[in-house]
Amino acid sequence: MGIFRHRLGVSNGNGGPIEWVDALVDTGSTFTMLPASLLRRIGVPQRGMRRRFSIADGGVIETPITVANLHIGEDVFPVVVAEGPENKYLLGATSLQMFGLIADTTRHRLIPDTELTI
């Protein structure tokens, strides 16, 4: 597991604004989590779906999930994100997989995954 920060953009996928944030890259987290207030501000709709997640302290939380566009480098993909509290910007493993990236925790950077399979 490794944690470091990376800049990414978030948008609603309908031509709305892109908001750039510094997110923790956490290879131990499955999903990306972003503040619900950010998602509403840029026009990402609530979907009425909720999921339960285990958290680092051993607890369990239930939170809404939705779909937002993430921008990393030149690439943009719609990804499932968990709606979180203020100041919780977390880039999880499923989003990294969508972008074909892996976390280089030694150099604190994202690099292309050269061993993708289909």
Side-chain angles (χ1 to χ4, degrees):
M1 209 169 39
I3 298 176
F4 58 92
R5 293 193 175 279
H6 190 80
R7 189 157 177 80
L8 61 96
V10 186
S11 67
N12 65 19
N14 294 321
I18 301 170
E19 188 154 330
W20 294 91
V21 300
D22 288 319
L24 286 177
V25 176
D26 185 353
T27 59
S29 294
T30 304
F31 281 86
T32 292
M33 179 177 268
L34 298 168
S37 63
L38 161 71
L39 297 169
R40 298 298 90 73
R41 184 170 59 247
I42 63 172
V44 173
Q46 289 183 310
R47 305 238 180 220
M49 298 176 66
R50 298 180 69 83
R51 291 288 185 268
R52 291 172 52 92
F53 295 96
S54 297
I55 56 176
D57 69 3
V60 175
I61 62 169
E62 184 174 305
T63 189
I65 61 170
T66 191
V67 176
N69 276 12
L70 295 189
H71 304 249
I72 299 177
E74 301 292 319
D75 294 327
V76 180
F77 286 104
V79 300
V80 175
V81 298
E83 297 184 17
E86 292 302 309
N87 300 316
K88 188 75 165 188
Y89 302 90
L90 188 69
L91 180 60
T94 56
S95 296
L96 292 174
Q97 289 174 335
M98 296 250 340
F99 281 87
L101 297 170
I102 57 175
D104 178 346
T105 56
T106 303
R107 294 187 179 98
H108 298 132
R109 63 186 180 148
L110 299 179
I111 58 175
D113 185 347
T114 58
E115 297 183 20
L116 292 173
T117 60
I118 55 172

